[in-house]
Amino acid sequence: MLTAWPTIVDHDSFPQIYDFAEKNSALAKNLYNAALFRIRQVFCGWDKTSRTDNEKEAFEEIETVRQAYPKFNVRRVLSYTALEKIMRITCNPDFFSGLPMQTAQAVVRKACDDFHNWLKASKDYKKNPSKYLGKPRMPKYCKSTRKSFEVTNQDAVLYRGSVTSSSAVIKLPSIPKKDKVMISGLPPYEDLRQVTIKPYYGKYILTFVFENGAPPCYPDLPEMAGVDFGTGNIATLACTDGSSVVFNGGVVKSRNQLFAKKRAAAVSSITKGTYRKHTQSQHLDLLSRKHDCQTNDSLHKISTAIVRWCIAHRVGTLVLGVNKLWKQESDMGKRNNQTYVSIPHARLRWMINYKALTAGINVIEQEESYTSKADVTMADPMPVYGEEKGKPVFSGKRIERGRYKTASGLIINADCNGAANILRKAVPDAWKNTKDFKFLAYPETYGYWNLNPKYKLTA
């Protein structure tokens, strides 16, 4: 099992690592573009009788390699092996620019993988165009001045005082041994697989990838639960053990609003008196970095609390509600659209996915059309939107925001009804043994103070 451990690096906290990242991220960007250039030129000029100057240059390099290796042969889509050999034989200056060799090879491989993935997506698009928002585009050159790169455990080493120590000295290529860099707060894992360095709003994220033992196993998890995502209630769960819970998303919502307000004011001030609509500055980087860190913090706490709640309630199957194009085709009015679309539900869903799988919980993503309108107590049918025959009729209805009235007159939480229906849509017999749905009326609530108890004010 692999575990990622990120930390933010800037010039004040880790000057040696920051300088290393500045230098090599620029070199990685140049090498990626050089590799992608050769892949694109060979692909586009393969069948041409009259080639452009760039295409001629790429094919001349292939002929140079063939002179050294007569049996060298390439296809229209350059493989990583062929491209690396071209780089080596021609002594490509970007390939031998000073990047650690393992890192340079990883950058070249990344360019090849991106191009091959585009070809696979293009082929699949012809068969299933409905799966895509548009026709896949050929990978483009990196326009940024910096690009992410990897340093393998052959070039990056951690020296710990003991196996359980949370601090270690990191060794990176080109950093002198006398300039020891101490990293604290690391998990007590021994096996470092690689270090990934990624540009992050004027700074860098240094991510240690460790390989540790098997994840904790919870074998007795017979229950199931459905998850409904929203705005005010960012996630609502309904469990077959007769319990429900709501996770309040007001903090994420208010932080998004404050960030948008501050950023708009800053952009307006910076671009005042010009025709520019977009700009970059250290202040904007600071705003974006702070907002992203706060959002990640909130989503990590919410997703961790959801998985812990599932373990406490012995949930072995978790069904996440999701709708295709639910953000792109949102039609709830200008104000509600801004609020809903800005909440990163996909990131939260991804966090829940990997944390639940680590705990041994099976995760299912279920299309959720009509789950908020159907009455779970009456097992109303829920067709897929766009595939229904005639207008569907439901037994209950939502009487006001947050409240749903069932066919029997029972008033339950509307989001809990949606979560229960999401589970029922994936597992039709999930509620067959449930006769009393009153537990959906009064769900347990997790708010900001539940997720951040140490900040709670006391009288």
Side-chain angles (χ1 to χ4, degrees), residues 11 53 181 289 303 352 386 425:
H11 192 271
D53 293 339
V181 182
R289 183 171 62 247
S303 58
I352 295 173
K425 199 165 188 179

Side-chain angles (χ1 to χ4, degrees), residues 124-140:
D124 187 49
Y125 174 77
K126 294 179 180 179
K127 298 179 181 179
N128 306 296
S130 60
K131 290 171 56 177
Y132 300 83
L133 297 178
K135 185 177 180 180
R137 297 182 179 181
M138 183 183 294
K140 296 183 178 180

Side-chain angles (χ1 to χ4, degrees), residues 37 53 66 71 89 160 198 207 287 304 320 341 363 369 416 420:
F37 170 81
D53 293 339
R66 282 176 178 164
K71 293 185 179 180
I89 297 300
R160 298 177 185 267
K198 177 183 178 181
T207 304
L287 285 176
T304 299
L320 308 182
V341 172
V363 178
S369 52
C416 290

Side-chain angles (χ1 to χ4, degrees), residues 97-135:
S97 60
L99 279 171
M101 187 48 60
Q102 299 283 338
T103 301
Q105 291 173 336
V107 172
V108 175
R109 186 178 289 108
K110 171 65 175 174
C112 293
D113 290 343
D114 287 348
F115 201 84
H116 281 80
N117 289 337
W118 167 68
L119 291 175
K120 291 180 182 178
S122 299
K123 185 177 180 180
D124 187 49
Y125 174 77
K126 294 179 180 179
K127 298 179 181 179
N128 306 296
S130 60
K131 290 171 56 177
Y132 300 83
L133 297 178
K135 185 177 180 180

Side-chain angles (χ1 to χ4, degrees), residues 180-196:
K180 295 183 179 179
V181 182
M182 179 67 72
I183 303 290
S184 60
L186 295 175
Y189 304 141
E190 289 188 337
D191 193 2
L192 176 68
R193 294 293 298 273
Q194 69 180 35
V195 175
T196 303

Side-chain angles (χ1 to χ4, degrees), residues 255-422:
R255 283 175 176 168
N256 282 341
Q257 292 173 337
L258 182 61
F259 167 70
K261 184 177 180 179
K262 287 185 175 181
R263 193 181 189 285
V267 171
S268 176
S269 176
I270 295 171
T271 59
K272 187 175 182 179
T274 70
Y275 292 101
R276 293 180 298 165
K277 294 183 179 180
H278 305 282
T279 186
Q280 290 293 328
S281 71
Q282 291 185 354
H283 178 63
L284 290 176
D285 283 344
L286 176 62
L287 285 176
S288 298
R289 183 171 62 247
K290 182 178 180 180
H291 173 66
D292 192 61
C293 288
Q294 289 177 335
T295 301
N296 278 334
D297 177 71
S298 297
L299 296 184
H300 272 298
K301 289 176 179 176
I302 292 171
S303 58
T304 299
I306 288 174
V307 174
R308 288 177 178 173
W309 188 89
C310 289
I311 294 172
H313 289 260
R314 301 168 64 199
V315 174
T317 301
L318 191 63
V319 182
L320 308 182
V322 60
N323 270 335
K324 186 177 180 181
L325 303 178
W326 59 350
K327 295 294 180 74
Q328 290 84 352
E329 297 182 356
S330 178
D331 187 18
M332 299 182 290
K334 182 178 180 180
R335 183 183 296 273
N336 290 330
N337 276 351
Q338 288 179 342
T339 301
Y340 177 68
V341 172
S342 62
I343 295 179
H345 291 105
R347 199 187 312 180
L348 176 60
R349 207 167 68 236
W350 171 75
M351 290 180 181
I352 295 173
N353 251 294
Y354 81 80
K355 291 178 182 180
L357 293 175
T358 299
I361 300 173
N362 182 36
V363 178
I364 301 172
E365 292 194 347
Q366 173 61 47
E367 181 274 334
E368 62 171 14
S369 52
Y370 294 114
T371 54
S372 62
K373 293 185 177 182
D375 186 351
V376 66
T377 64
M378 299 299 292
D380 288 343
M382 297 173 290
V384 177
Y385 181 78
E387 299 179 6
E388 64 271 31
K389 297 180 180 179
K391 186 176 182 180
V393 179
F394 303 107
S395 304
K397 63 178 180 179
R398 181 177 295 204
I399 55 177
E400 60 182 57
R401 180 175 177 83
R403 303 180 71 192
Y404 187 92
K405 186 176 182 180
T406 65
S408 62
L410 176 66
I411 307 298
I412 60 177
N413 184 284
D415 291 335
C416 290
N417 178 68
N421 278 324
I422 288 171

